[in-house]
Amino acid sequence: GGRSEEVDMAVRCLYEILDVERDADDACIKKAYRKQAIRWHPDKNPNNKEEAERVFKEVTNAYEVLSDPDERKWYDGHRDAILRSGERHQKGGSAGGGAKEQPEDEARVDLYQYFSSSCYKGKGNGPGGFYRVYSEVFDLVAETERDRANAKGKHDFEFPPSFGCTSTEWREVKAFYDYWSNFVTERDFEWMQEHNLASAPNRRIRRLMEEENKKVTRQAKKDFNDLVRQLCAFVKKRDERVERRRQEAEKEKERKAKELDERRRLEREERLRRAQEYDDSAFVDDEGVEEDLY
């Protein structure tokens, strides 16, 4: 209970939010973002702060996605599905020609609507916050995966690492991203199959139907794997723990570089000191030789 399984928001097209054409170049997108950001900045809208904050967030999210070549490419390829996500979620998914219903647990969470910063409020751990929202989303996906694995007799299914919160150790955060960025689903997507094999008039047609059904489920699995992995990448890019770790790693790298420089400097000084001692001792030997000659 108490899960935020459905995001209360109208899904708007990112290009529409920035008021640009879908083939707009980077410069055009940047210019449009600046214009909208200035217009909707909460500080500039003291009498309309709530709406300004909501729109400003939408504008920032649209720019974040459309200014990243990979995220923009993915968005362009899935734009229709994202825009339809709210209504499809309410219908609970559509059955294929095989007249099978989409399993309820697979229909209960529509991942497309989580490709937006509008689905969370702030980067906190509380209700509606970034860490709570995505913890619940990935847990819901994981629960369905576990149930599918168990139904297939795979009782050794290991529940994936959880998303955690702001204070989760990096080791666990890394385990989460390692798992979900290489996600492979246990779902069979049989509900999407178009043909009911029982209606085949003969074996040849039945075989063709079977092939087409397999093709559909294969594609559905691939699409779902891609969807989950892409959501994982979307979340990772916005996860402050990842940025914190990157900064720590950068500092560690600088510290090691300084240590190496210092070690090399000391080694160089040591070599010079030894060379100087050698020269001095050679000079003393030369003096001794000269004295023997007289």
Side-chain angles (χ1 to χ4, degrees), residues 96-99 190-197 199 209 212-213 216:
E190 280 185 5
W191 62 274
M192 289 186 75
Q193 292 178 354
E194 293 166 13
H195 304 291
N196 181 352
L197 301 185
S199 68
M209 284 180 166
E212 281 187 28
N213 279 351
V216 166

Side-chain angles (χ1 to χ4, degrees), residues 12-20 58 61-62 65-66 75:
R12 288 176 66 206
C13 171
L14 301 185
Y15 293 99
E16 191 185 301
I17 290 167
L18 291 185
D19 195 19
V20 293
E58 267 192 339
N61 176 67
V65 173
L66 297 183
Y75 178 78

Side-chain angles (χ1 to χ4, degrees), residues 244-255:
R244 200 160 57 231
R245 175 67 181 183
R246 191 191 63 75
Q247 289 174 4
E248 284 169 7
E250 201 63 44
K251 281 179 189 166
E252 182 66 10
K253 195 175 164 186
E254 282 173 21
R255 189 185 65 75

Side-chain angles (χ1 to χ4, degrees), residues 7-119:
V7 178
D8 180 25
M9 62 172 185
V11 183
R12 288 176 66 206
C13 171
L14 301 185
Y15 293 99
E16 191 185 301
I17 290 167
L18 291 185
D19 195 19
V20 293
E21 296 296 324
R22 284 178 65 187
D23 58 357
D25 62 14
D26 291 348
C28 182
I29 286 170
K30 196 170 196 172
K31 189 179 171 186
Y33 164 66
R34 281 186 178 152
K35 184 182 167 186
Q36 298 280 10
I38 290 166
R39 182 185 167 196
W40 289 103
H41 197 285
D43 294 348
K44 290 197 181 290
N45 294 270
N47 302 326
N48 190 19
K49 204 150 191 175
E50 208 171 289
E51 191 194 355
E53 280 174 358
R54 181 182 59 76
V55 178
F56 184 74
K57 194 176 178 184
E58 267 192 339
V59 166
T60 306
N61 176 67
Y63 180 66
E64 276 180 2
V65 173
L66 297 183
S67 61
D68 180 310
D70 294 331
E71 288 199 357
R72 182 178 181 181
K73 186 181 175 187
W74 191 87
Y75 178 78
D76 287 344
H78 299 80
R79 179 177 164 274
D80 292 345
I82 291 168
L83 296 180
R84 284 200 316 268
S85 63
E87 57 188 78
R88 190 175 60 248
H89 187 62
Q90 284 153 21
K91 287 173 189 167
S94 58
K100 283 189 179 180
E101 282 293 327
Q102 180 180 9
E104 203 176 305
D105 56 355
E106 290 183 22
R108 69 181 167 173
V109 59
D110 186 337
L111 298 183
Y112 284 109
Q113 59 191 328
Y114 293 96
F115 284 88
S116 169
S117 57
S118 302
C119 74

Side-chain angles (χ1 to χ4, degrees), residues 47-252:
N47 302 326
N48 190 19
K49 204 150 191 175
E50 208 171 289
E51 191 194 355
E53 280 174 358
R54 181 182 59 76
V55 178
F56 184 74
K57 194 176 178 184
E58 267 192 339
V59 166
T60 306
N61 176 67
Y63 180 66
E64 276 180 2
V65 173
L66 297 183
S67 61
D68 180 310
D70 294 331
E71 288 199 357
R72 182 178 181 181
K73 186 181 175 187
W74 191 87
Y75 178 78
D76 287 344
H78 299 80
R79 179 177 164 274
D80 292 345
I82 291 168
L83 296 180
R84 284 200 316 268
S85 63
E87 57 188 78
R88 190 175 60 248
H89 187 62
Q90 284 153 21
K91 287 173 189 167
S94 58
K100 283 189 179 180
E101 282 293 327
Q102 180 180 9
E104 203 176 305
D105 56 355
E106 290 183 22
R108 69 181 167 173
V109 59
D110 186 337
L111 298 183
Y112 284 109
Q113 59 191 328
Y114 293 96
F115 284 88
S116 169
S117 57
S118 302
C119 74
Y120 58 86
K121 293 181 178 70
K123 293 285 178 83
N125 301 316
F130 179 83
Y131 294 97
R132 177 77 66 88
V133 167
Y134 286 112
S135 281
E136 291 174 357
V137 171
F138 282 99
D139 278 354
L140 280 171
V141 175
E143 283 167 17
T144 304
E145 292 299 315
R146 180 198 57 207
D147 294 346
R148 291 295 162 278
N150 288 345
K152 286 193 268 185
K154 286 187 181 179
H155 298 294
D156 57 347
F157 179 82
E158 274 190 49
F159 205 78
S162 68
F163 186 53
C165 60
T166 46
S167 58
T168 300
E169 281 186 34
W170 174 250
R171 186 170 41 83
E172 293 171 46
V173 175
K174 184 180 182 300
F176 171 86
Y177 285 116
D178 285 349
Y179 176 87
W180 290 103
S181 60
N182 297 291
F183 172 77
V184 178
T185 188
E186 295 286 350
R187 304 180 186 200
D188 55 29
F189 292 97
E190 280 185 5
W191 62 274
M192 289 186 75
Q193 292 178 354
E194 293 166 13
H195 304 291
N196 181 352
L197 301 185
S199 68
N202 56 50
R203 274 165 65 185
R204 190 177 64 83
I205 300 288
R206 183 189 166 90
R207 211 165 33 243
L208 290 171
M209 284 180 166
E210 218 165 2
E211 276 308 307
E212 281 187 28
N213 279 351
K214 278 182 185 170
K215 198 173 165 186
V216 166
T217 52
R218 255 200 315 271
Q219 188 60 45
K221 281 182 191 179
K222 184 186 179 299
D223 290 347
F224 188 67
N225 288 341
D226 289 347
L227 178 65
V228 172
R229 292 174 190 179
Q230 191 65 30
L231 183 62
C232 172
F234 180 91
V235 172
K236 188 176 184 179
K237 188 183 166 189
R238 290 154 181 83
D239 190 340
E240 290 176 352
R241 301 170 305 181
V242 174
E243 178 56 25
R244 200 160 57 231
R245 175 67 181 183
R246 191 191 63 75
Q247 289 174 4
E248 284 169 7
E250 201 63 44
K251 281 179 189 166
E252 182 66 10

